[in-house]
Amino acid sequence: EAGVTQFPSHSVIEKGQTVTLRCDPISGHDNLYWYRRVMGKEIKFLLHFVKESKQDESGMPNNRFLAERTGGTYSTLKVQPAELEDSGVYFCASSQDVPASGYGYTFGSGTRLTVV
Amino acid sequence: QKEVEQNSGPLSVPEGAIASLNCTYSDRGSQSFFWYRQYSGKSPELIMSIYSNGDKEDGRFTAQLNKASQYVSLLIRDSQPSDSATYLCAADTGRRALTFGSGTRLQVQP
């Protein structure tokens, strides 16, 4: 079974440019999450999709960030325009609902974004 | 006050010893708790999840939860050098949005 795939693995862009990150969840996982870790701080939740619908986007920092999940499969996270403070590692995760026994995320390897 | 607090470490233990990692949380609405292991430059990997007060054992790992004290711990028995990593504690209030601690770096000395 393929894991959660993210690309690019690294991206270096200039302030003001646009970057799009992509995440392919594990096949069959309806739940898809975006998290990020900036400047050595803790991993922070950004948003949660259930299939193609945004279940919770309370962690999105501002309107420069736009997430989509076309057809309930892969997801993209666009940052436009990028600012220096957006630098960090962006993680995607997916999960199945497993009643009673709980659930666990499977994380992708992350995209390291550097804004210069 | 951070919502999920962990000692950043490093916690250094000799090979074969028990490593004890601790975590406290502030939101009493937290229902589920998770321990992730993260090797440098890699993605977090789920080790244990716990939802009820008490202990939960899985191989060399034991998770402990005390909701009254808002305390979660992870014990690693017979620690191995390969256990050296950062251990992340995470809590969920049921919204499915995990709140992570900043992680504790564990070093197992051969």
Side-chain angles (χ1 to χ4, degrees):
Chain A
E1 177 186 71
V4 177
T5 306
Q6 291 186 249
F7 50 92
S9 56
H10 294 83
S11 180
V12 181
I13 62 171
E14 293 184 352
K15 176 182 172 181
Q17 288 187 321
T18 297
V19 63
T20 300
L21 314 180
R22 173 167 168 151
C23 169
D24 286 73
I26 292 174
S27 178
H29 281 193
D30 289 339
N31 296 278
L32 186 149
Y33 314 83
W34 283 98
Y35 285 79
R36 74 172 180 176
R37 188 169 201 164
V38 298
M39 294 187 64
K41 296 188 177 180
E42 60 270 16
I43 297 172
K44 292 278 194 182
F45 168 80
L46 295 178
L47 87 159
H48 170 205
F49 283 100
V50 177
K51 296 184 180 179
E52 66 275 9
S53 300
K54 291 177 185 175
Q55 182 77 13
D56 182 351
E57 53 185 327
S58 61
M60 295 288 264
N62 52 61
N63 59 9
R64 296 186 293 103
F65 290 75
L66 175 64
E68 295 179 323
R69 190 178 183 193
T70 306
T73 55
Y74 70 91
S75 174
T76 58
L77 179 64
K78 180 190 291 187
V79 185
Q80 179 182 29
E83 299 289 345
L84 298 178
E85 63 264 25
D86 300 332
S87 297
V89 181
Y90 289 76
F91 289 105
C92 176
S94 70
S95 73
Q96 279 182 316
D97 281 326
V98 184
S101 59
Y103 61 95
Y105 290 6
T106 300
F107 278 88
S109 54
T111 294
R112 182 174 295 277
L113 175 65
T114 303
V115 183
V116 298
Chain B
Q1 181 190 15
K2 291 184 178 180
E3 294 182 50
V4 177
E5 296 232 33
Q6 296 181 256
N7 188 319
S8 61
L11 172 65
S12 185
V13 300
E15 184 174 356
I18 296 175
S20 177
L21 302 160
N22 305 314
C23 169
T24 58
Y25 61 95
S26 60
D27 189 342
R28 285 197 172 273
S30 299
Q31 302 173 7
S32 309
F33 304 88
F34 305 86
W35 283 99
Y36 284 84
R37 177 176 63 198
Q38 187 175 25
Y39 294 110
S40 180
K42 302 295 184 181
S43 59
E45 174 192 7
L46 180 67
I47 297 176
M48 294 282 290
S49 58
I50 187 166
Y51 316 100
S52 305
N53 279 327
D55 295 359
K56 179 181 177 182
E57 187 174 318
D58 184 1
R60 295 187 297 114
F61 299 98
T62 299
Q64 300 174 318
L65 174 59
N66 184 325
K67 289 186 178 180
S69 301
Q70 296 176 243
Y71 178 89
V72 191
S73 66
L74 179 70
L75 301 178
I76 306 175
R77 289 181 298 282
D78 188 23
S79 296
Q80 301 297 309
S82 59
D83 295 326
S84 298
T86 296
Y87 289 80
L88 303 168
C89 175
D92 177 20
T93 58
R95 292 192 305 124
R96 298 300 179 91
L98 296 185
T99 300
F100 281 88
S102 54
T104 298
R105 190 156 59 95
L106 173 66
Q107 294 177 340
V108 180
Q109 306 294 337

